[in-house]
Amino acid sequence: MARLPFSVLVLAPLLAAAIPQIPIELYSPLIPQKLLATSQKFTAANPTYPQWTTITPSDGKWVFFKTDTWTSGFFPASLILMYERGQLCGDGSLVSQQDAATSLSEGRTWSVPLTGLETNNSVKHDVGFISFPFWEEIKINPANATAATHIKAFAAYLAGRFNPTVGCTKSWDNGTPPEFEVIIDNMVNIELFFVAADLLGPADPNYSRYRFMATSHADHTMVNHIRPDGSTYHVVTYDQNTGAVLHQGTAQGYSDSSTWSRGQAWGMYGFTSMYNRTGNATYLDTARRLSTWYISHLPEDNLVPFWDFNAPSTPTPPRDTSSATIAASAMLFLSQMETKAGNQTGSDLWRDHAISVWTDRQLKQLAA
């Protein structure tokens, strides 16, 4: 079973009641059952976390990685989201009350080892992803002091990677000084600053400091990561001493001039989140631009992009279901923000695009 973005896991059952064509796989009772079955593999002595499922051989088994891996927060957060789904759909038709309670308990168990990454880790900027389970805990109980403490610690670590001259948080430590590398993925991680700021409150000096760091990073990303046509660079390298742009290119895409499909999806979600957090219409317009580019450049045969939009067609490049699901989640999120902005036509447009991606036959086959 492929991982589904968080807003998809929680909101799909509610949408399904109003939009009959939404794929039934998104609100299948098998989702919590499969998550709980996987959760039984936890070992406290040497915890490892599921990142992807195998396709060769096509047995669909999870591949597990050490705790200090950028995706480790996704699985425990997904378990906690199953509890939230159970609360939203209280009749037990999608998640039984027992499964919901067990999912919450298991999610907390899997979250404990992540706390060791608050000050010492190799994931760097990805502490935003790592902290996801604790965000969900705060949504369940805003007075959860333990979760708040962990969120503040992760935010403090991320703040330590912010360079005021560059105006961004540093992604990787690979470059040779004065190189300061920033990747488009950071647009999702920087929401951690807002989560922590809300917990601290306006009276705390870090409230405005964290919000400034997030908006500064987003503003620089708009200027330097996004091309005039709405496509994105994966990596922008700055001079850490002057803030000047040294290079625009890629590390995981096909070429410096290409568009890595997952990176484009990260940007779509990140700028939608920035609008949600700030109400700044420039971020909403940016999310629209990136999403419009994404939809208009999908392959003609189906709605699952190749791993890079500009990858050579021969041999046939692999598809990226993670990009498709992140993008669908981003467009559902964008649909909600269009409603917030009073644009119901836009809301319907992005909702329909999201559903089109979810119902794509090949996405179902690849993510099964």
Side-chain angles (χ1 to χ4, degrees), residues 32-53:
Q33 293 173 22
K34 289 184 176 182
L35 288 171
L36 286 174
T38 304
S39 75
Q40 301 308 303
K41 299 181 183 295
F42 180 82
T43 55
N46 184 29
T48 56
Y49 290 74
Q51 183 174 127
W52 64 63
T53 52

Short mmCIF file of all heavy atoms in Angstrom, two decimals, residues 32-53:
data_model
loop_
_atom_site.label_atom_id
_atom_site.label_comp_id
_atom_site.label_asym_id
_atom_site.label_seq_id
_atom_site.Cartn_x
_atom_site.Cartn_y
_atom_site.Cartn_z
N PRO A 32 -6.70 1.43 7.62
CA PRO A 32 -6.27 1.27 9.01
C PRO A 32 -5.80 -0.14 9.33
O PRO A 32 -4.88 -0.33 10.14
CB PRO A 32 -7.52 1.65 9.83
CG PRO A 32 -8.66 1.52 8.88
CD PRO A 32 -8.10 1.86 7.53
N GLN A 33 -6.41 -1.13 8.69
CA GLN A 33 -6.01 -2.52 8.96
C GLN A 33 -4.56 -2.76 8.52
O GLN A 33 -3.78 -3.40 9.23
CB GLN A 33 -6.96 -3.48 8.25
CG GLN A 33 -8.39 -3.46 8.80
CD GLN A 33 -9.35 -4.30 7.97
OE1 GLN A 33 -8.94 -5.20 7.24
NE2 GLN A 33 -10.63 -3.99 8.07
N LYS A 34 -4.21 -2.24 7.35
CA LYS A 34 -2.85 -2.43 6.85
C LYS A 34 -1.84 -1.64 7.69
O LYS A 34 -0.74 -2.13 7.97
CB LYS A 34 -2.76 -2.01 5.38
CG LYS A 34 -3.48 -2.97 4.43
CD LYS A 34 -3.28 -2.56 2.98
CE LYS A 34 -3.92 -3.56 2.03
NZ LYS A 34 -3.70 -3.22 0.61
N LEU A 35 -2.21 -0.43 8.07
CA LEU A 35 -1.32 0.36 8.92
C LEU A 35 -1.08 -0.33 10.25
O LEU A 35 0.05 -0.38 10.75
CB LEU A 35 -1.90 1.76 9.14
CG LEU A 35 -1.87 2.71 7.94
CD1 LEU A 35 -2.68 3.97 8.25
CD2 LEU A 35 -0.44 3.09 7.59
N LEU A 36 -2.14 -0.85 10.85
CA LEU A 36 -2.00 -1.52 12.14
C LEU A 36 -1.19 -2.81 12.01
O LEU A 36 -0.41 -3.16 12.91
CB LEU A 36 -3.37 -1.81 12.74
CG LEU A 36 -4.09 -0.58 13.31
CD1 LEU A 36 -5.50 -0.94 13.75
CD2 LEU A 36 -3.31 0.00 14.50
N ALA A 37 -1.37 -3.51 10.90
CA ALA A 37 -0.58 -4.72 10.70
C ALA A 37 0.91 -4.38 10.62
O ALA A 37 1.76 -5.06 11.21
CB ALA A 37 -1.03 -5.44 9.44
N THR A 38 1.24 -3.31 9.91
CA THR A 38 2.63 -2.88 9.81
C THR A 38 3.16 -2.41 11.15
O THR A 38 4.33 -2.60 11.48
CB THR A 38 2.77 -1.78 8.76
OG1 THR A 38 2.25 -2.25 7.51
CG2 THR A 38 4.22 -1.36 8.57
N SER A 39 2.29 -1.79 11.95
CA SER A 39 2.73 -1.24 13.24
C SER A 39 3.23 -2.32 14.20
O SER A 39 3.98 -2.03 15.13
CB SER A 39 1.59 -0.46 13.90
OG SER A 39 0.61 -1.32 14.44
N GLN A 40 2.84 -3.56 13.95
CA GLN A 40 3.28 -4.65 14.83
C GLN A 40 4.75 -4.98 14.64
O GLN A 40 5.32 -5.78 15.40
CB GLN A 40 2.42 -5.89 14.58
CG GLN A 40 0.94 -5.68 14.81
CD GLN A 40 0.64 -5.06 16.17
OE1 GLN A 40 1.03 -5.61 17.20
NE2 GLN A 40 -0.03 -3.92 16.17
N LYS A 41 5.39 -4.39 13.66
CA LYS A 41 6.80 -4.67 13.39
C LYS A 41 7.73 -3.78 14.22
O LYS A 41 8.95 -3.87 14.08
CB LYS A 41 7.09 -4.47 11.90
CG LYS A 41 6.30 -5.40 10.99
CD LYS A 41 6.65 -5.18 9.53
CE LYS A 41 5.80 -6.06 8.62
NZ LYS A 41 6.07 -7.49 8.82
N PHE A 42 7.18 -2.96 15.10
CA PHE A 42 8.02 -2.06 15.90
C PHE A 42 8.88 -2.83 16.89
O PHE A 42 8.41 -3.74 17.57
CB PHE A 42 7.14 -1.07 16.66
CG PHE A 42 7.91 -0.10 17.50
CD1 PHE A 42 8.47 1.03 16.94
CD2 PHE A 42 8.10 -0.33 18.86
CE1 PHE A 42 9.19 1.94 17.70
CE2 PHE A 42 8.82 0.57 19.64
CZ PHE A 42 9.36 1.70 19.06
N THR A 43 10.14 -2.46 16.97
CA THR A 43 11.05 -3.02 17.97
C THR A 43 11.75 -1.87 18.68
O THR A 43 12.46 -1.08 18.06
CB THR A 43 12.11 -3.94 17.32
OG1 THR A 43 12.81 -3.21 16.31
CG2 THR A 43 11.46 -5.17 16.69
N ALA A 44 11.53 -1.76 19.97
CA ALA A 44 12.07 -0.63 20.74
C ALA A 44 13.60 -0.63 20.75
O ALA A 44 14.23 0.43 20.78
CB ALA A 44 11.53 -0.68 22.16
N ALA A 45 14.21 -1.82 20.73
CA ALA A 45 15.67 -1.90 20.83
C ALA A 45 16.34 -1.36 19.57
O ALA A 45 17.42 -0.77 19.64
CB ALA A 45 16.09 -3.34 21.07
N ASN A 46 15.71 -1.57 18.42
CA ASN A 46 16.31 -1.12 17.16
C ASN A 46 15.20 -0.72 16.19
O ASN A 46 14.91 -1.41 15.22
CB ASN A 46 17.16 -2.23 16.54
CG ASN A 46 17.88 -1.78 15.28
OD1 ASN A 46 18.21 -0.60 15.13
ND2 ASN A 46 18.10 -2.71 14.36
N PRO A 47 14.53 0.42 16.45
CA PRO A 47 13.38 0.81 15.63
C PRO A 47 13.78 1.17 14.20
O PRO A 47 14.78 1.86 13.98
CB PRO A 47 12.82 2.02 16.36
CG PRO A 47 13.98 2.58 17.12
CD PRO A 47 14.82 1.40 17.51
N THR A 48 13.03 0.67 13.25
CA THR A 48 13.18 1.05 11.84
C THR A 48 11.81 1.42 11.31
O THR A 48 10.78 0.96 11.82
CB THR A 48 13.79 -0.08 11.00
OG1 THR A 48 12.98 -1.26 11.15
CG2 THR A 48 15.22 -0.37 11.44
N TYR A 49 11.79 2.23 10.25
CA TYR A 49 10.53 2.82 9.79
C TYR A 49 10.29 2.51 8.32
O TYR A 49 11.21 2.55 7.50
CB TYR A 49 10.57 4.34 9.99
CG TYR A 49 10.52 4.73 11.45
CD1 TYR A 49 11.63 4.56 12.28
CD2 TYR A 49 9.36 5.23 12.02
CE1 TYR A 49 11.59 4.89 13.62
CE2 TYR A 49 9.30 5.56 13.36
CZ TYR A 49 10.42 5.40 14.16
OH TYR A 49 10.36 5.71 15.50
N PRO A 50 9.01 2.21 7.96
CA PRO A 50 8.69 1.90 6.56
C PRO A 50 8.76 3.14 5.70
O PRO A 50 8.27 4.21 6.07
CB PRO A 50 7.26 1.36 6.64
CG PRO A 50 6.69 2.01 7.87
CD PRO A 50 7.83 2.13 8.84
N GLN A 51 9.41 3.01 4.55
CA GLN A 51 9.54 4.16 3.65
C GLN A 51 8.84 3.91 2.32
O GLN A 51 8.14 4.76 1.81
CB GLN A 51 11.01 4.50 3.41
CG GLN A 51 11.18 5.73 2.53
CD GLN A 51 12.63 6.18 2.41
OE1 GLN A 51 13.13 6.34 1.31
NE2 GLN A 51 13.31 6.37 3.52
N TRP A 52 9.05 2.73 1.72
CA TRP A 52 8.36 2.43 0.46
C TRP A 52 8.12 0.93 0.38
O TRP A 52 8.65 0.15 1.17
CB TRP A 52 9.16 2.91 -0.75
CG TRP A 52 10.49 2.26 -0.97
CD1 TRP A 52 10.76 0.95 -1.23
CD2 TRP A 52 11.78 2.91 -0.95
NE1 TRP A 52 12.10 0.74 -1.38
CE2 TRP A 52 12.75 1.92 -1.22
CE3 TRP A 52 12.19 4.22 -0.74
CZ2 TRP A 52 14.11 2.22 -1.27
CZ3 TRP A 52 13.55 4.49 -0.81
CH2 TRP A 52 14.48 3.50 -1.07
N THR A 53 7.29 0.55 -0.58
CA THR A 53 7.01 -0.86 -0.79
C THR A 53 7.73 -1.34 -2.04
O THR A 53 7.91 -0.58 -3.00
CB THR A 53 5.50 -1.14 -0.93
OG1 THR A 53 4.96 -0.27 -1.93
CG2 THR A 53 4.79 -0.91 0.37
#
